Amino acid sequence: MPTDSAVIALVNDVCAQFARAEVARALAGHSTSHAEHATLTERAARFDALVDERWRELVKAIRAGLPGAAQVERFMPVRPLTNGHVELYVHDTSARRLIVLLTGAQALAVGAHMTANGAIVLDRIGQKLEPGLPHVKAAPPFATGSAVRQATPDGAAGPPVAHS
């Protein structure tokens, strides 16, 4: 298994050999004689051969370092933006691609709702989630002491009233 520094060294070598080949080709294009052109073209071909060789080594090193199931993900459905917003890539019922722009809070709310709905659906079809979830300790009551706020009944006006 190659180390990260060995892979980076291979990448640097591939880039350096590629740059040398490009420089040799550029110089050959500006050469003043057939002999100089032939020499520089031959030099570019040698560097290209080194690029091909190092490239194969690099591919082998990368494949050795990755698990067999690792693949490039072709579609990222969620993309966080630097301004705190989130892009959600979706398809409508006609298979048209849409991009939904959400604030961070909206994205969290959508994610929470999707997770809750997914859990409900799995429970309804008989797949129990409990074995895969960590144990959660019982939470203390939400309100303690003498001042407890009671919820306002549906349709009642005004905020809840604190009782002591």
Side-chain angles (χ1 to χ4, degrees):
M1 175 104 71
T3 63
D4 56 346
S5 56
V7 172
I8 290 172
L10 277 171
V11 168
N12 288 336
D13 196 27
V14 167
C15 293
Q17 300 305 333
F18 179 80
R20 289 183 181 116
E22 289 296 306
V23 168
R25 263 191 288 286
L27 290 173
H30 296 286
S31 60
T32 57
S33 69
H34 288 297
E36 183 183 19
H37 185 271
T39 301
L40 290 168
T41 302
E42 188 271 326
R43 184 178 297 164
R46 278 198 325 259
F47 288 133
D48 282 336
L50 284 172
V51 168
D52 290 343
E53 178 185 324
R54 297 296 191 271
W55 179 259
R56 284 189 295 275
E57 291 174 22
L58 178 59
V59 169
K60 186 188 296 184
I62 290 173
R63 286 188 176 150
L66 292 176
Q71 296 178 7
V72 174
E73 188 168 340
R74 298 179 61 153
F75 175 69
M76 293 291 289
V78 177
R79 185 176 78 129
L81 303 175
T82 56
N83 64 359
H85 287 81
V86 176
E87 286 182 343
L88 177 63
Y89 292 81
V90 297
H91 296 276
D92 68 3
T93 56
S94 300
R96 292 178 298 197
R97 289 188 62 186
L98 302 171
I99 300 173
V100 180
L101 182 63
L102 303 168
T103 66
Q106 290 170 329
L108 286 172
V110 167
H113 282 84
M114 289 177 68
T115 302
N117 285 327
I120 291 167
V121 168
L122 289 173
D123 184 66
R124 286 183 181 166
I125 64 172
Q127 293 185 4
K128 300 299 177 193
L129 301 176
E130 293 86 12
L133 297 175
H135 177 70
V136 178
K137 294 180 185 176
F142 290 108
T144 57
S146 59
V148 177
R149 301 188 90 183
Q150 295 179 353
T152 304
D154 288 343
V161 179
H163 296 279
S164 48

